[in-house]
Amino acid sequence: MSHGNLQKLADEVSKTLPFIPTKPENAQRRAARIVMNVCEAIVDLQQNKKNSWEEAVCTHYQRTAKTDWDKKEENNEKASLPSTSALSMMGNMKLGVTQDDWPPCADAASQPKFQFVWTHFPCAKGRDYASHDDTQTPPRQLKKPIEQTLARFQEDVEVQIGFTMDVMIAARDEVAKLEPAKKGPVAMVFNPVGAGAFVDALSSEEQTLCLERILRAMIGALKKRVLKGCVLFVSGQLDGNGKLSWENKMKNVASVEVDPEVRDFLVAGSFDCLALAQKLAGIGLFCHVGVTMAADMHRIGNAWISYRTNRSTKQIDFAAWNASDENNTRRSSLVPWVLKANAPRFQWHKIDCAGVKNAKETQSAAETFLRHPDDGSYNQMMNKFTTLLRNDLKLLFDNSMQIRVPEL
């Protein structure tokens, strides 16, 4: 398919299945979907039910340390997911997307699978690139000289984006080896990684500078791999003059020129990344489809089941409303695997009858809320869910249960 037709396909998905942020008017229904997905996974794990995710292989990829950022202990030896490691798993989109909900995909289990790739990315507001000083405004500012910091940041981001792309290309090559008839290009679905919470403490001007470097790093990584048979689908806008733009959650906009030699290999749109990946996996134009999960260095899925008290409503909400890694995890078919991966020593079969009963009652409370949405039924659902996490699954979140990915 030509680049023009691929862009038309992305435009169509952007129109019918666009990225729709979580906001007060849809947050409660989406929370209920998360609760149901997690509780179903808990019961299945306790009962040792065989799910399609168990038939897939979790693959660990490694690379050599290339930058000073790689070599820092906190990014490597002390990280659960080191910068030099990637995890890969095949799965589906289990929860779709509408303006007011994340409805279950009725035929999710029968849909073609695509690859989820977990890698962790540099954090521009972290101490590697920013000074932390409460006496300055804002307290976090890019280290001076800024140009040198930005150049180092771009290099580190490009290495990680390239690594993530290489994992997708390697998985494509494995598919082609096993099924030569399927040999063909790989579709790589990305959002501008590290462009949200990883920059949000910086000034608007410095955020924009970082966003530009992230986009340049993405284009640079693609440029080095176009001969390997890949097409990059990225969240953003691409105009007729080859300018790629991205607006982050703080409404800061960055634009960069796309090198002419890669324009035919880059497609952009406002699509929902999981919806696009599922669509691409289903139409058969690509040998393989991968989506980046932009993981946290300490947990697969990052804060995907973390919760907080909403300051305005005083109700319990899930954290990270619009973070890509969290929401891609919440909406995937891989929830049971993510639970296991984050606590591989946890003995699921030892959850007692009371724990299973609590999980089922919590799932039932979510179903009740979806049928009769009001504050009372929402509060009951979230109270049951947080009690389940704090009591029956307390050990699941104990650091002693965690191990580093290379040992997983």
Side-chain angles (χ1 to χ4, degrees), residues 316-383:
I316 299 170
D317 288 338
F318 280 100
W321 272 10
N322 290 304
S324 61
D325 181 29
E326 281 85 348
N327 287 336
N328 287 350
T329 299
R330 290 161 176 165
R331 293 172 51 209
S332 78
S333 63
L334 299 179
V335 165
W337 176 80
V338 173
L339 285 169
K340 288 189 75 171
N342 278 307
R345 298 189 182 99
F346 188 76
Q347 296 178 305
W348 290 93
H349 65 281
K350 288 190 176 180
I351 295 177
D352 59 19
C353 294
V356 173
K357 182 172 179 282
N358 291 338
K360 289 181 176 180
E361 286 180 352
T362 303
Q363 187 173 4
S364 178
E367 291 168 351
T368 298
F369 167 76
L370 289 169
R371 288 194 303 269
H372 308 290
D374 57 42
D375 285 345
S377 57
Y378 176 81
N379 291 338
Q380 184 178 31
M381 171 190 73
M382 292 306 291
N383 286 333

Side-chain angles (χ1 to χ4, degrees), residues 91-149:
N92 301 99
M93 177 176 69
K94 186 173 181 179
L95 300 178
V97 59
T98 64
Q99 285 288 344
D100 61 354
D101 203 353
W102 281 340
C105 301
D107 56 349
S110 62
Q111 288 293 311
K113 291 180 173 61
F114 54 91
Q115 181 191 25
F116 293 76
V117 181
W118 283 268
T119 44
H120 95 250
F121 288 86
C123 177
K125 71 180 183 184
R127 295 185 184 276
D128 287 322
Y129 311 102
S131 60
H132 293 202
D133 183 352
D134 291 339
T135 65
Q136 62 187 13
T137 304
R140 299 196 192 189
Q141 297 179 15
L142 292 175
K143 292 179 179 179
K144 295 179 175 58
I146 287 180
E147 272 303 311
Q148 286 185 17
T149 298

Side-chain angles (χ1 to χ4, degrees), residues 296-308:
D296 179 78
M297 69 174 74
H298 300 303
R299 289 171 294 184
I300 305 303
N302 200 354
W304 72 289
I305 49 177
S306 296
Y307 53 87
R308 63 194 175 192

Side-chain angles (χ1 to χ4, degrees), residues 217-237:
M218 195 169 290
I219 293 166
L222 176 63
K223 189 175 179 180
K224 294 172 182 174
R225 291 163 178 83
V226 291
L227 297 181
K228 295 184 178 182
C230 54
V231 178
L232 174 63
F233 292 81
V234 62
S235 299
Q237 299 299 323

